[in-house]
Amino acid sequence: MIKGGANLVQLRPVFSSDGKFMLICSGCSIRVLSVATGLLVTKLEGHSDQVTSIVVVPFPRNVKSLLTHAWTSSMDGTVRLWNFSSGVQIKCVNVGMPIKSMVIPELSKLSASQNSKKLGLIAFLSVYWKKGNRKSAQNDEGGRVILQNLTTGTSLMGSIAKVTYAQDLVVSPSGGLVGMADHRKLWIWRVPITPVDNVNAVKVTLLHHVKDIEVIAFDPTDTVVACGDHTGRMLVWRNVGDFTFSPNKVAIEAYRNSKKQNVIQENGSKSGVRGQDDASSCTTYHWHAHAIRSLTFTADGTHLLSGGMEAVLVIWQLDSGKREFLPRLGAPLLHIASSPDPSLFAVCCEDNSIKLVNLGSRTVEKSIQGIKPIASLSKNIEVLDYTRVAIEPQGGRVVFPTMNSTLQFYDVLHDRHVTEVQVAPRNFIFGSSISKGASEASTFVTHVTFSADGSTMATADLRLPEEDIGATSCLKFWTTDANMLHYSINTLVDEPHSAEISALVYHPEDDMAVSCSPAGDFKIWVQNKRAQGVAGWRCRSVGSYRYACPVFLHAFAVFQLYVQVSHKFYYALSLSLFGVILLPHQARKKDVLMSLKALNRNVEG
């Protein structure tokens, strides 16, 4: 069995230390892709459940063998160390609880030179804490943040946070701070400089918001914390933890007392910091109309990148509040990941694609496309015999009708995207229908079929009515180039039937196609033969017989119509009925197959 395709945008991708490879969580495995080509290099397999985190070991100058090492966590309750260039597992640490997220502050790129191996490598784990895992956890279920010694394989006693549900962890670029969004508050931990041997050594401060927080990000200086909420607002706190993380307890107490009064900045406006939150100021930015799904600071900390449902990458200049845009990325943004190259970022989109964006030139340098999500039909027309998967006969590529009215051609053998055809031209527009709960597309491809040699493709697309007005269907015939990579429209037929197209098939040998509609009519389409120029398509014959779905049975120009409890057979050239097979309610499948074989023998004779 040949398998292909994967979810490339399950989690934020991680770049290797040299920037040549990109590691992607995909189900129970980790896919290693080449940044230069976008092709699969190797696959890391060993976890028995969903992989939840990847932490690449930085490249120490004196130890070149660690260039391709990475830690991974999984819902199977294990943390594993890999050599991702060879695909070999080096170590496995059993935590015993499903792991939602993992960060290893000591392996952050700016703190990799610190030597803290006396007590081992400490990982922060966000785990699902279930009843019975600990004696002290009676009648207590939810999420915990614990510390795990990856060198010795033991957990430090206790936890540093108890939450209702396990949440994602984020570490700052310098490795000095670890954060977690929990509904309307942020947990911010200071990572001790000295080796950690107990959970009490990790100090924490909380930041509060009035809306549910979706995502969190740190700047490289460990002084600025940003978050995005579900309403599209972005909050930026400055000088976070200056007093809480200070060793001077007198200063901490004085700060807490001062926060009981309204803090007014020099310009006379409020700082925006709520309650006793440990920050000097909090600034709110707003452009997104819906939830912010991803946030990332640039390497110098002067700009902040945000993305969400609008399919637009927003570049914020924090000092001035100005913003720039990289629009029309094709689908809502899920994740933004930085790379060793300060100008290169990986943007994960909801259409299962990863776009490598050059921030300097504001362009998309490369797009790594997986199998796009299949378009879902409206419940009103689920009765249509629509195409879910088709096979391009010449190259053997799989064709999927996907979102945004496109057809995707995917090479399963080499596990790569080949090309796509925009059947009904339409830019991605995130409208108000989503907020009202209607997530189904208004225009989509319902049928696709090919000629025997793959040179011609026939498609049917449908646009749903808005308030019972404006429903349209379209039949299109396409021709391809010699390499079968680009398709161009040959003939376009608006409203080929009085209703939508319910079935569409192509003749197994000749340039002939049959389409049907729920109204009971069917039409035969043939190609005009011209001495010069491109030959178009026309309707040659029209027939009707109740509700019908056509299927070509034989090379002798015979097609079959399935009509409720019978199969009817017509000569395509003369459109004359020559055979009927009745299908009683209790008819056996074996008897029907024998009748079809006998009818085929009569046709051949």
Side-chain angles (χ1 to χ4, degrees):
M1 178 185 294
I2 300 176
K3 296 183 179 180
N7 184 357
L8 304 181
V9 296
Q10 174 181 318
L11 294 172
R12 178 184 299 188
V14 179
F15 286 87
S16 61
S17 297
D18 57 2
K20 295 181 180 180
F21 302 99
M22 189 163 49
L23 283 71
I24 297 172
C25 297
S26 179
C28 301
S29 62
I30 302 96
R31 300 169 72 90
V32 182
L33 305 182
S34 169
V35 174
T37 64
L39 299 179
L40 179 66
V41 177
T42 186
K43 187 183 296 186
L44 309 180
E45 297 180 324
H47 287 290
S48 59
D49 207 336
Q50 179 177 330
V51 179
T52 55
S53 300
I54 301 175
V55 180
V56 171
V57 177
F59 177 31
R61 296 179 180 179
N62 56 346
V63 187
K64 295 184 179 180
S65 61
L66 298 182
L67 179 62
T68 57
H69 285 191
W71 290 90
T72 62
S73 66
S74 170
M75 289 292 291
D76 62 8
T78 63
V79 178
R80 302 170 189 255
L81 177 63
W82 305 84
N83 184 332
F84 58 81
S85 64
S86 62
V88 176
Q89 177 181 307
I90 301 174
K91 186 176 182 179
C92 178
V93 178
N94 187 13
V95 178
M97 291 172 285
I99 303 172
K100 169 66 174 178
S101 181
M102 174 186 70
V103 295
I104 308 176
E106 297 176 31
L107 296 184
S108 294
K109 59 182 179 181
L110 298 183
S111 64
S113 60
Q114 297 179 359
N115 184 11
S116 57
K117 298 183 179 179
K118 294 181 180 180
L119 296 177
L121 187 64
I122 302 299
F124 287 62
L125 303 179
S126 175
V127 299
Y128 291 94
W129 189 283
K130 296 184 179 181
K131 185 176 180 180
N133 281 350
R134 296 290 189 271
K135 294 181 179 179
S136 61
Q138 295 179 358
N139 300 323
D140 193 6
E141 298 182 359
R144 298 288 188 274
V145 179
I146 64 173
L147 303 182
Q148 180 79 23
N149 192 320
L150 300 181
T151 304
T152 62
T154 58
S155 300
L156 276 64
M157 186 62 66
S159 63
I160 60 176
K162 296 180 181 180
V163 293
T164 306
Y165 303 101
Q167 306 289 346
D168 291 330
L169 298 174
V170 179
V171 64
S172 63
S174 65
L177 296 177
V178 174
M180 179 181 68
D182 179 27
H183 298 292
R184 298 186 177 184
K185 63 183 177 182
L186 295 178
W187 296 71
I188 308 295
W189 294 277
R190 167 65 71 182
V191 179
I193 299 178
T194 58
V196 179
D197 58 356
N198 65 84
V199 296
N200 296 325
V202 182
K203 296 181 179 181
V204 65
T205 186
L206 297 178
L207 301 175
H208 297 82
H209 187 31
V210 295
K211 303 293 184 180
D212 287 341
I213 299 172
E214 299 288 334
V215 65
I216 177 177
F218 293 100
D219 84 322
T221 65
D222 279 355
T223 61
V224 180
V225 179
C227 81
D229 65 21
H230 76 282
T231 66
R233 290 174 173 82
M234 186 172 66
L235 277 66
V236 178
W237 289 271
R238 299 181 185 276
N239 301 321
V240 175
D242 278 358
F243 290 89
T244 303
F245 301 144
S246 172
N248 190 341
K249 296 183 178 180
V250 177
I252 297 175
E253 188 64 26
Y255 170 76
R256 289 176 177 173
N257 293 333
S258 67
K259 288 299 292 181
K260 294 180 181 180
Q261 303 175 357
N262 290 335
V263 180
I264 306 297
Q265 294 179 338
E266 295 180 359
N267 58 6
S269 62
K270 291 186 177 181
S271 65
V273 180
R274 297 184 175 277
Q276 296 187 9
D277 289 356
D278 189 355
S280 64
S281 66
C282 179
T283 307
T284 301
Y285 302 87
H286 193 194
W287 178 84
H288 295 276
H290 303 275
I292 298 177
R293 293 185 173 184
S294 54
L295 282 177
T296 299
F297 279 91
T298 56
D300 56 5
T302 59
H303 292 78
L304 182 61
L305 311 182
S306 65
M309 298 297 296
E310 299 83 5
V312 176
L313 179 64
V314 186
I315 306 168
W316 301 84
Q317 187 177 7
L318 296 181
D319 291 340
S320 63
K322 295 181 179 179
R323 54 183 179 259
E324 298 180 64
F325 305 96
L326 183 60
R328 294 184 292 275
L329 292 180
L333 275 58
L334 299 178
H335 311 288
I336 304 173
S338 58
S339 73
D341 182 353
S343 63
L344 188 66
F345 290 82
V347 178
C348 298
C349 298
E350 200 176 60
D351 62 353
N352 200 23
S353 68
I354 301 176
K355 295 177 172 59
L356 300 181
V357 175
N358 189 313
L359 206 60
S361 61
R362 303 292 195 267
T363 58
V364 178
E365 291 188 348
K366 182 179 291 294
S367 180
I368 303 173
Q369 181 68 64
I371 296 178
K372 292 186 174 184
I374 305 299
S376 59
L377 290 181
S378 171
K379 295 181 180 180
N380 299 331
I381 54 173
E382 284 183 346
V383 295
L384 294 181
D385 185 25
Y386 65 96
T387 302
R388 295 169 178 85
V389 178
I391 303 296
E392 188 269 307
Q394 193 67 20
R397 294 168 291 196
V398 182
V399 183
F400 304 96
T402 64
M403 299 187 307
N404 209 23
S405 305
T406 61
L407 290 176
Q408 181 183 16
F409 290 70
Y410 197 86
D411 187 346
V412 179
L413 182 61
H414 298 94
D415 198 8
R416 63 185 180 91
H417 167 82
V418 178
T419 187
E420 66 179 7
V421 177
Q422 186 78 44
V423 176
R426 174 178 177 268
N427 289 329
F428 175 83
I429 299 175
F430 185 81
S432 59
S433 61
I434 300 294
S435 60
K436 296 178 182 179
S439 59
E440 296 170 342
S442 60
T443 304
F444 44 83
V445 181
T446 58
H447 298 85
V448 56
T449 184
F450 293 89
S451 61
D453 59 359
S455 61
T456 304
M457 176 177 68
T459 63
D461 58 90
L462 175 67
R463 180 180 178 84
L464 295 180
E466 296 182 5
E467 298 180 355
D468 297 330
I469 299 175
T472 59
S473 62
C474 189
L475 174 64
K476 298 176 183 178
F477 293 92
W478 308 72
T479 56
T480 184
D481 56 11
N483 297 325
M484 295 191 176
L485 294 178
H486 303 284
Y487 284 83
S488 58
I489 294 182
N490 175 278
T491 303
L492 187 151
V493 183
D494 287 321
E495 300 291 346
H497 296 271
S498 58
E500 62 269 12
I501 296 176
S502 59
L504 178 66
V505 294
Y506 207 103
H507 193 279
E509 289 186 357
D510 296 334
D511 289 327
M512 180 185 297
V514 180
S515 62
C516 287
S517 77
D521 62 321
F522 56 91
K523 296 184 178 181
I524 298 179
W525 306 86
V526 296
Q527 195 172 25
N528 285 328
K529 301 300 181 181
R530 297 180 181 178
Q532 296 179 352
V534 179
W537 287 76
R538 62 179 177 85
C539 177
R540 199 209 65 181
S541 306
V542 179
S544 62
Y545 195 103
R546 304 176 188 174
Y547 180 82
C549 293
V551 176
F552 272 105
L553 289 181
H554 197 270
F556 287 92
V558 176
F559 68 91
Q560 164 203 359
L561 292 179
Y562 170 67
V563 186
Q564 294 181 348
V565 295
S566 65
H567 286 274
K568 301 186 180 297
F569 300 86
Y570 288 81
Y571 286 109
L573 296 178
S574 62
L575 206 61
S576 58
L577 177 67
F578 74 91
V580 177
I581 296 179
L582 297 179
L583 299 179
H585 182 67
Q586 301 295 334
R588 293 181 302 170
K589 182 178 180 180
K590 179 179 178 181
D591 295 337
V592 174
L593 292 178
M594 292 180 62
S595 300
L596 290 176
K597 291 180 180 179
L599 187 60
N600 279 338
R601 286 195 297 268
N602 293 334
V603 172
E604 293 176 2

